[in-house]
Amino acid sequence: SGQHRVPRATAWLLAPVGDPEKVICVGLNYHDHCQEQAAKVPKEPLIFSKFPSAITGPFDDIVHPQDTSELDWEVELAAVIGKRGRHIEEVVALEHVLGFTVANDVSARDWQMRRNGRQWLLGKTFDTFCPLGPAIVTKEAVADVHNLWIRCSVNGQRMQDSSTRHLIFGVPALVAWVSRFVTLVPGDVLLTGTPAGVGVFRKPPVFLKRGDEVRCEIEELGTICNRVV
């Protein structure tokens, strides 16, 4: 109605999805990200997860755990499920998506790549390791979700600069694939992977420190900005 508005400067935004049943993630899903680590392009989506307790707000702090010295950033397009489904056909998969938002798949690379039997979960799911927001943009409001620029900066320095057109598996393919294994329900969050430019594959590697500011942006979806503490 426009009659009940709060000035943006007086409001603190929470994550648009705070306690989903599932946070589903995809690894190695950009061609340029595969190239930067000399990895083969996957023939099937590589799926892992975060616990919902990793979710934090679009402008909240990222807590640097004492247990890692290799904290990294990953800007990602996130799809939010709006309609329940299992064994969803790819041609109708977008009917099950409510909209999209910006995510940062924060990662402790030592735990992801060397510790815990090299299973990814612990390195991906420390508290605050999934900043999300600033809002859910409905799919009808996005001209082409597979042709959006996607960027991440650390302390004002551009680290990732790519486009969702470089996705290996697009959103419909991912929704269809995941629904072969689990029932997708409204509120589930699907992180679709990150492009090239992460810290661990730089020469030499670059990792986040306390005091750093990480800014993740996706065209038409907005910006999240989080300080590492």
Side-chain angles (χ1 to χ4, degrees), residues 25-220:
C25 309
V26 187
L28 293 175
N29 198 33
Y30 277 77
H31 288 281
D32 54 4
H33 186 46
C34 291
Q35 292 168 1
E36 75 173 341
Q37 56 187 296
K40 292 183 178 178
V41 174
K43 295 182 180 179
E44 298 173 336
L46 174 60
I47 304 298
F48 62 98
S49 66
K50 289 177 177 280
F51 293 130
S53 55
I55 291 177
T56 193
F59 306 108
D60 291 340
D61 292 336
I62 297 168
V63 177
H64 192 309
Q66 295 181 351
D67 297 288
T68 183
S69 59
E70 299 182 2
L71 193 66
D72 207 348
W73 58 84
E74 293 191 5
V75 61
E76 306 210 6
L77 167 73
V80 180
I81 299 300
K83 178 182 175 183
R84 183 184 184 93
R86 178 84 195 276
H87 299 296
I88 300 167
E89 295 292 335
E90 186 172 337
V91 293
V92 297
L94 282 181
E95 296 177 10
H96 292 260
V97 174
L98 170 66
F100 305 98
T101 193
V102 183
N104 185 354
D105 177 15
V106 183
S107 306
R109 298 301 190 186
D110 40 4
W111 283 94
Q112 177 191 359
M113 296 179 169
R114 297 190 302 280
R115 304 186 65 176
N116 193 42
R118 291 188 289 183
Q119 297 185 57
W120 289 14
L121 176 63
L122 290 184
K124 294 284 190 173
T125 202
F126 284 91
D127 289 351
T128 73
F129 270 26
C130 190
L132 203 64
I136 299 171
V137 180
T138 58
K139 62 178 182 287
E140 293 82 6
V142 180
D144 181 359
V145 75
H146 299 109
N147 189 27
L148 304 174
W149 55 253
I150 178 170
R151 298 169 180 163
C152 177
S153 300
V154 178
N155 300 328
Q157 180 179 353
R158 185 71 50 78
M159 296 296 190
Q160 294 179 277
D161 192 347
S162 189
S163 170
T164 58
R165 67 176 180 271
H166 298 307
L167 281 164
I168 296 167
F169 302 101
V171 175
L174 293 174
V175 170
W177 176 260
V178 172
S179 75
R180 291 172 56 177
F181 305 92
V182 297
T183 300
L184 294 174
V185 300
D188 283 350
V189 179
L190 174 62
L191 275 62
T192 60
T194 199
V198 297
V200 69
F201 297 122
R202 292 177 172 270
K203 301 185 189 313
V206 178
F207 296 113
L208 294 170
K209 308 178 299 298
R210 292 177 181 87
D212 286 346
E213 184 180 83
V214 187
R215 184 181 183 92
C216 296
E217 307 172 84
I218 301 179
E219 183 180 7
E220 298 185 30

